């Protein structure tokens, strides 16, 4: 909750929780009273059973009470199934003469399912996944009973028949106050709608599949659009669950997700900021887990949660007090109170508190005791102690550390394939495949139909966890376009996105052979007359262990070969400024295409250079990064786990003293000791894993493609066309004077200056302004253009234009007019280009006087 972004704004927006209270109708209240009496009486009978059977029956009855609170449909279906199960058991008893005890029956079930009954419900919900818990609960709730004899079975079945009929009457009456309250929320709450009246995306959590199916039907009737609702429960397989998640995130027609807690694990739904807990979990960890589906990194809007509470019910009174106290502490502690809610009830679990309320007398004294327990659990200092214990670190990052991290991020940002390049490729490839992007907001697009060829390719490769959808409400190529105020969330299309992954693979499957076949390309910005070759080299650094070893870093690198056989690093992406040669130009350079130097074993030269220069640099960079990262993680893990180990070891000692003194603590000392031992083993395991993380190995580099590069200067010479300077030495002198002029200007401003022209990163000079206390200052990326006095145009490559657009305010175009050994300027042009060039444009000419009109002195 305290994490900040580099610009000083909070990483997480606020989250607010509300109580949506409603009163039961007379028939619902009567049903509630009768079922609660049945549960209470059966729990009292279960007290006389042996330990494991007692726990099982108590668990089943607790689930029955929770379904009573869920919906008339859920309790009706549960009572009916339970009655049928017990009738089958009774018939079996009669037929076998000698029946079989419930302990044996259920014991065989446990062996068959290989599930050990935990000590209490909280443990079960924490230890099992939500889907396993749902399956387990379905089996237990309908068959665990305190009845053991034929008369006991007969008596319980008679009670269930009466309750089932009463529940059936409530269902058929259509009298459902809880649904009416949800309907009111859906229709009358302003937060449910965008300013233009469109419904916002909403997640509704329930605990039971019967209620889920019931809600789906009711909401469909309310909205009149069956396709607007999707659902996730424990019976939905993982692949289908991911598909539903993507539909909810990206399909504008899908507005509501109704889910059980199976959707509360490992699913990112931050495109929504609204949630309703139709059923309240009795485990606070589940409550936080649900809220965490929308309140997570990437969420930009305030998150709203409505908790539905039945007034006048025993568990409703507990939850009402809980949420009232939570709101008080939220104002005192911020959102952090939600993060530690699961640990707040250390001395008595929320589940035990609810069962105590259900089984106990509804006197003012009893209610006061419940209130006291909740108030103590959510007392400010108690919560602060838990927050402090759970903190990953007590330290805040220094400005020095922040600057170092930001510098590394800027370097990585400069190197990676930038959004405009990705957009240019994807737009062209998607169009060739038959797709169409429709421009919506600036930099954002809608895809109303994804071509079948791309969807089929996604199915064939099957390498992405998330499927390609038929349509996307919004996509974008820049991170700052994902979230726009009052607009749908956009999917960021980047190389790992399933849509681009499938599109790229479709292109490669068609044209991969052409990489090895090679190409003849023209460098329109090279005024020299000597052809060269460039080769693409694929290099992988892997982990030393694992089967198969995991790839840590994979890098595409470029090697340039001159005619004399000299190899050099061609930079990060030299191909982006090149264009295919046309037929007329091809006829001008026929001799060069068949030159003897091309018949040498250039691939061996490339591999030799890559192995001696590029591969060691790549390996050492990754090795250093992994070692540094592993050490940092180890420090944090050691601090975190040692703190936890000491905490549980101390609790073991205190709990042991309590037992020795004759007290009976809720948590047994042995459990605390076992927890400390588990954490100690986990610490040792993490140490081993992190030590292995440091060990990486370098794979053999592989040449995957190459091209012959014809410089524009050679084509100009052969065609008789002139250039602005045919003297290479004169060009170099102009460039040197211009570079020195800009670096001197930046130094006068007090900046650190770095000449990065040889690194071919998209600009010539990196200038770092002095650091300001309390603020991070961006580097300035300066592209230098030196021109001889009297020239009227400046040629800018497509690559340079796109880098300028990617770098935005960081980028400066510096113009220097050179006259002999003297110069005028530099003059700075900020944001020199307004839009990216078309896919087929290699370079653009700009009128020098127009650029100078927009320029300023260095500042």
């Amino acid at each position: 909750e305290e994490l900040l972004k580099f610009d000083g704004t909070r990483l997480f927006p606020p989250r607010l929780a509300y109580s949506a209270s409603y009163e039961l109708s007379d028939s619902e209240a009567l049903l509630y009273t009768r079922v609660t009496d049945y549960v209470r009486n059966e729990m009292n009978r279960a007290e006389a059973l042996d330990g494991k059977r007692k726990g099982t029956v108590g668990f089943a009855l607790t689930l029955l009470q929770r379904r009573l609170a869920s919906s008339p449909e859920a309790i009706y279906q549960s009572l009916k199934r339970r009655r049928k199960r017990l009738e089958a058991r009774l018939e079996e008893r009669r037929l076998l003469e000698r029946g079989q005890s419930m302990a044996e029956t259920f014991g065989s079930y446990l062996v068959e399912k290989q599930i050990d009954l935990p000590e209490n419900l909280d443990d079960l919900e924490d230890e099992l996944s939500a889907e396993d818990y749902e399956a387990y609960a379905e089996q237990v709730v309908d068959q665990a009973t305190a009845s053991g004899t034929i008369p006991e079975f007969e008596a319980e079945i008679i009670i269930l028949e009466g309750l089932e009929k009463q529940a059936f009457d409530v269902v058929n009456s259509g009298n459902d106050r809880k649904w009416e309250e949800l309907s009111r929320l859906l229709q009358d709450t302003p937060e449910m709608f965008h300013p233009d009246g469109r419904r916002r995306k909403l997640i509704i959590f329930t605990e039971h599949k019967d209620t889920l199916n019931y809600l789906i039907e009711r909401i469909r009737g309310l909205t009149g659009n069956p396709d607007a609702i999707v659902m996730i429960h424990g019976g939905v397989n993982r692949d289908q669950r991911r598909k539903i998640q993507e539909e909810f995130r990206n399909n504008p027609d899908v507005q509501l997700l109704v889910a059980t807690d199976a959707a509360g694990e490992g699913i990112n739904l931050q495109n929504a900021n609204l949630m309703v807990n139709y059923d309240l979990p009795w485990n606070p960890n589940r409550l936080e887990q649900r809220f965490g589906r929308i309140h997570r990194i990437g969420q930009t809007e305030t998150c709203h949660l409505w908790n539905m509470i039945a007034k006048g019910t025993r568990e409703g009174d507990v939850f009402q007090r809980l949420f009232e106290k939570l709101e008080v502490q939220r104002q005192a502690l911020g959102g952090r109170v939600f993060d530690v809610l699961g640990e707040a009830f250390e001395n008595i679990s929320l589940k035990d508190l609810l069962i105590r309320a259900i089984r106990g007398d509804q006197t003012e004294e009893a209610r006061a005791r419940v209130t006291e327990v909740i108030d103590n659990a959510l007392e400010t200092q108690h919560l602060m102690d838990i927050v402090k214990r759970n903190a990953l670190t007590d330290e805040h990052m220094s400005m020095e550390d922040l600057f170092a991290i930001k510098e590394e991020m800027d370097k990585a940002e400069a190197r990676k394939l930038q959004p405009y390049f990705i957009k240019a490729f994807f737009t062209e490839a998607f169009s060739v495949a038959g797709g169409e992007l429709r421009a919506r907001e600036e930099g954002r697009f809608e895809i109303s139909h994804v071509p079948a060829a791309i969807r089929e390719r996604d199915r064939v490769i099957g390498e992405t966890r998330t499927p390609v959808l038929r349509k996307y409400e919004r996509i974008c190529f820049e991170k700052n376009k994902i979230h726009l105020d009052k607009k749908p969330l956009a999917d960021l299309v980047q190389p790992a996105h399933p849509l681009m992954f499938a599109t790229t693979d479709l292109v490669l499957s068609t044209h991969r052979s052409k990489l090895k076949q090679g190409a003849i390309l023209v460098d329109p910005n090279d005024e020299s007359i000597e052809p060269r070759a460039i080769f693409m080299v694929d290099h992988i650094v892997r982990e030393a262990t694992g089967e198969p070893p995991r790839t840590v870093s994979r890098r595409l690198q470029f090697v340039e070969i001159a005619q004399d056989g000299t190899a050099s690093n061609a930079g990060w992406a030299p191909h982006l400024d090149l264009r295919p040669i046309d037929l007329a130009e091809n006829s001008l350079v026929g001799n060069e295409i068949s030159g003897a130097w091309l018949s040498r074993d250039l691939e061996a030269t490339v591999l030799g250079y890559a192995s001696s220069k590029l591969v060691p640099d790549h390996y050492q960079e990754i090795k250093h990064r992994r070692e540094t990262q592993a050490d940092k993680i180890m420090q944090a893990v050691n601090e975190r786990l040692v703190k936890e180990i000491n905490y549980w070891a101390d609790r073991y000692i205190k709990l042991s003293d309590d037992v020795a003194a004759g007290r009976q603590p809720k948590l047994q000392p042995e459990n605390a000791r076992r927890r400390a031992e588990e954490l100690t083993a986990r610490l040792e395991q993490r140490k081993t894993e992190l030590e292995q993380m440091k060990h990486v190995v370098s794979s053999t580099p592989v040449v995957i493609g190459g091209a012959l590069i014809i410089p524009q200067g050679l084509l100009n010479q052969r065609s008789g066309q002139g250039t602005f300077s045919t003297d290479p030495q004169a060009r170099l002198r102009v460039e040197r004077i211009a570079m020195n002029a800009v670096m001197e200007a930046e130094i006068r401003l007090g900046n650190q200056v770095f000449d990065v022209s040889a690194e071919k990163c998209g600009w010539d000079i990196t200038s770092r302004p002095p650091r300001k206390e309390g603020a991070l200052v961006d580097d300035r990326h300066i592209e230098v253009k030196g021109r001889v006095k009297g020239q009227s145009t400046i040629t800018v490559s497509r690559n340079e234009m796109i880098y300028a657009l990617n770098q935005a305010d960081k980028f400066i175009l510096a113009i220097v007019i050179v006259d002999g050994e003297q110069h005028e300027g530099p003059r700075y042009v900020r944001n020199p280009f307004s839009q990216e060039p078309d896919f087929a444009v290699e370079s653009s000419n700009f009128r020098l006087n127009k650029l100078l009109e927009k320029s300023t002195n260095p500042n």
Side-chain angles (χ1 to χ4, degrees), residues 525-585:
N525 304 298
D526 185 356
E527 296 295 329
S528 71
I529 59 173
E530 185 175 289
R532 63 191 189 280
I534 60 169
F535 290 84
M536 291 182 287
V537 178
D538 185 12
H539 180 236
I540 295 174
V541 177
R542 291 189 171 95
E543 290 181 343
T545 57
E547 192 57 46
R550 190 171 67 89
T551 296
V552 175
S553 176
R554 184 176 186 180
R555 184 170 291 175
L556 184 66
Q557 298 175 303
F558 295 84
V559 176
E560 182 175 299
I561 304 290
Q563 287 192 21
D564 62 4
T566 304
S568 60
N569 186 349
W572 292 106
H575 60 296
L576 294 174
D577 276 339
L578 307 178
R579 63 173 176 82
I581 195 168
D582 62 34
L583 289 176
E585 293 170 332

Side-chain angles (χ1 to χ4, degrees), residues 450-598:
V450 175
I454 294 177
R455 286 185 280 115
E456 177 62 18
R457 194 68 199 167
D458 173 65
R459 189 192 65 79
V460 170
I461 56 181
E463 293 186 24
T464 56
R465 291 173 58 85
T466 306
V468 170
L469 304 180
R470 290 180 175 271
K471 63 170 70 173
Y472 290 84
E473 183 174 16
R474 292 292 188 275
I475 67 163
C476 64
F477 301 90
E478 302 164 79
K479 287 186 289 187
N480 63 352
K481 297 292 195 300
I482 296 175
H483 304 277
L484 285 186
D485 188 34
K486 299 179 177 58
K487 297 296 181 183
L489 188 76
D491 240 23
L492 180 66
V493 174
Q494 32 75 25
H497 188 281
L499 180 59
M500 184 163 180
F501 194 89
T503 303
T504 304
D505 197 75
L506 186 62
V507 172
L508 283 173
S509 66
T510 307
H511 303 291
R512 192 186 301 272
S513 61
K514 291 183 174 62
L515 289 173
K516 272 290 189 178
Q517 178 183 324
I520 303 172
L521 305 174
V522 174
D523 186 347
N525 304 298
D526 185 356
E527 296 295 329
S528 71
I529 59 173
E530 185 175 289
R532 63 191 189 280
I534 60 169
F535 290 84
M536 291 182 287
V537 178
D538 185 12
H539 180 236
I540 295 174
V541 177
R542 291 189 171 95
E543 290 181 343
T545 57
E547 192 57 46
R550 190 171 67 89
T551 296
V552 175
S553 176
R554 184 176 186 180
R555 184 170 291 175
L556 184 66
Q557 298 175 303
F558 295 84
V559 176
E560 182 175 299
I561 304 290
Q563 287 192 21
D564 62 4
T566 304
S568 60
N569 186 349
W572 292 106
H575 60 296
L576 294 174
D577 276 339
L578 307 178
R579 63 173 176 82
I581 195 168
D582 62 34
L583 289 176
E585 293 170 332
N586 195 67
S587 64
L588 295 174
V589 291
N591 293 337
E592 281 69 16
I593 293 173
S594 58
W597 70 283
L598 291 173

Side-chain angles (χ1 to χ4, degrees), residues 20 22 176-189 192-193 199 202 204 214-215 218-219 221-223 256 276 278 308:
Y22 60 95
D176 186 348
R177 291 291 175 81
K178 189 176 185 181
W179 159 251
E180 291 170 8
E181 176 63 16
L182 176 62
S183 177
R184 185 193 65 78
L185 281 175
L186 293 177
Q187 297 180 84
D188 301 336
T189 308
M192 294 285 178
F193 300 91
R199 182 174 291 282
L202 168 71
I204 301 173
Y214 168 74
L215 286 176
R218 297 300 295 259
I219 295 172
L222 180 69
T223 64
L256 293 103
V276 173
Y278 196 77
M308 304 200 69

Side-chain angles (χ1 to χ4, degrees), residues 293 351 670 679 853:
R293 293 309 94 207
K351 183 266 305 186
E670 191 61 24
L679 290 169
E853 286 176 5

Side-chain angles (χ1 to χ4, degrees), residues 724-744 784-789 791 816-824:
F724 76 91
S725 175
T726 56
D727 182 357
Q729 293 303 317
R731 291 200 311 274
L732 289 174
R733 182 179 63 81
V734 170
E735 291 170 3
R736 175 179 54 78
I737 292 173
M739 286 284 291
N740 289 340
V742 174
M743 287 194 288
E744 289 169 4
V784 180
K785 291 295 182 183
R787 286 296 179 266
V788 176
K789 189 170 185 177
Q791 290 182 306
V816 180
I817 306 300
V818 179
D819 185 6
E821 291 299 322
Q822 304 301 312
H823 67 270
E824 299 173 10

Side-chain angles (χ1 to χ4, degrees), residues 11 23 123 217 282 304 468 552-553 621 805 838:
L11 182 63
E23 291 186 358
D123 291 343
E217 291 304 314
W282 286 21
H304 302 273
V468 170
V552 175
S553 176
E621 176 189 336
L805 291 166
D838 290 336

